Amino acid sequence: MDVVALHRFVTEAGRSWAGVTVVDAEEHGSRHALNVCRARPAVVVSGADPAELARGLAGWRRTLVVESATGLSTVDPADAVARPWTEPGAILCLAEQNFAPTPDGWALPDDDFAHRDGMIAVAEVRALVLARLAPRPGVLIWDVGAGPGAIGVECARLGAAVVAVERDPVQCVRIIANASAHGVDVRVVEAELSEAGELPRPDAVFVGGGGVDVVRRCVQAGAGRVVVATADLDRVVPARDALLAAGYEVEGSQLTAARLTGGTLLATNPVTVLWGRRKA
């Protein structure tokens, strides 16, 4: 990766080098580079095929500036897929809107998110879920039954690309608002998972809503990690069995937190978290 050449390319494309993320697809893999483009507002990619990169950006609002033998071309992903490229070089992937995550930790206070009472994964649950999902740059995470999207937004703040699947249109509006408030980009799919169409393959999946059928659909996606959170004890064993049947090693814990409020400890509702890791 020639950093000087990339710097010149970004300048010629009319962008400032400040705030641009650089990723080498040959070193880290094309999928890693694609997920960084899905998660960050301005990304320079070297060593990638423009059509392949553009194909993976379907559903994300992005513009590509592609360096090739004919000069610089600014195209949307749909055009980049169909266009032949002669000696392609660096690619600059730009979001329609600039955004920047706030770097103030994780498992944020519940009130940092717009939500209905009782319809959010509380901070104590989110802390464990995030630990098991392991969000980071270069990975893609599904947030299924996302509610107000607190899990997905927190994953995006830690650098992951996120697809939030939620059937309730009011909650979808909250996801968008929460993502904007925290300076991240979350792709929102307003549908049941069974009706969501073809989604990009995830590295990890969080299931926060729906029954065992949703868990079964999620494990079919082949993610390395699947995390399920439920307050309904009747769903714990079926969810565990679905993970085991799909070849995951399963562990779990029931969380009951008591929060210090005005000098008094007040208990939150218990939630069971299951996590499965795909066997090698």
Side-chain angles (χ1 to χ4, degrees):
M1 181 188 296
D2 187 336
V3 177
V4 174
L6 292 179
H7 193 289
R8 182 172 61 250
F9 163 63
V10 171
T11 302
E12 291 175 354
R15 297 285 298 196
S16 168
W17 184 254
V20 173
T21 302
V22 179
V23 59
D24 188 337
E26 292 181 340
E27 179 180 354
H28 298 288
S30 58
R31 194 160 179 272
H32 176 100
L34 172 59
N35 284 330
V36 174
C37 289
R38 288 164 169 165
R40 303 300 302 138
V43 182
V44 175
V45 182
S46 64
D49 175 67
E52 181 185 358
L53 185 71
R55 193 173 295 111
L57 289 171
W60 276 264
R61 293 177 293 181
R62 298 292 187 269
T63 299
L64 301 180
V65 181
V66 182
E67 181 184 44
S68 69
T70 59
L72 299 186
S73 301
T74 302
V75 294
D76 63 34
D79 291 335
V81 169
R83 181 170 174 172
W85 295 100
T86 304
E87 300 178 17
I91 304 167
L92 176 60
C93 179
L94 299 171
E96 288 186 4
Q97 294 181 329
N98 194 27
F99 49 88
T102 51
D104 51 350
W106 58 90
L108 301 177
D110 302 349
D111 289 341
D112 280 9
F113 301 93
H115 66 278
R116 289 199 303 256
D117 289 344
M119 295 294 289
I120 186 172
V122 297
E124 292 82 1
V125 171
R126 272 182 277 121
L128 178 57
V129 169
L130 290 168
R132 300 311 178 191
L133 289 174
R136 60 196 183 279
V139 305
L140 175 71
I141 293 177
W142 288 1
D143 183 2
V144 179
I151 292 292
V153 168
E154 293 241 43
C155 288
R157 292 178 68 254
L158 294 170
V162 177
V163 177
V165 182
E166 172 56 51
R167 66 180 182 180
D168 184 344
V170 175
Q171 293 285 49
C172 288
V173 172
R174 288 192 176 99
I175 297 171
I176 295 169
N178 285 324
S180 177
H182 290 281
V184 296
D185 187 21
V186 172
R187 178 183 166 190
V188 180
V189 179
E190 185 184 323
E192 296 275 8
L193 182 62
S194 60
E195 300 172 356
E198 185 176 355
L199 299 176
R201 180 170 64 87
D203 298 284
V205 177
F206 172 66
V207 184
V212 67
D213 288 342
V214 175
V215 178
R216 292 194 184 104
R217 287 183 181 275
C218 287
V219 297
Q220 291 172 4
R225 299 166 181 253
V226 177
V227 180
V228 181
T230 179
D232 188 346
L233 291 177
D234 291 339
R235 293 182 178 180
V236 173
V237 172
R240 180 207 61 183
D241 291 346
L243 290 167
L244 290 172
Y248 288 85
E249 297 176 336
V250 183
E251 297 180 79
S253 180
Q254 186 180 81
L255 301 182
T256 305
R259 292 179 170 179
L260 184 63
T261 304
T264 303
L265 288 172
L266 299 177
T268 60
N269 293 329
V271 174
T272 301
V273 179
L274 301 175
W275 55 93
R277 295 189 64 176
R278 187 170 290 282
K279 298 177 183 177

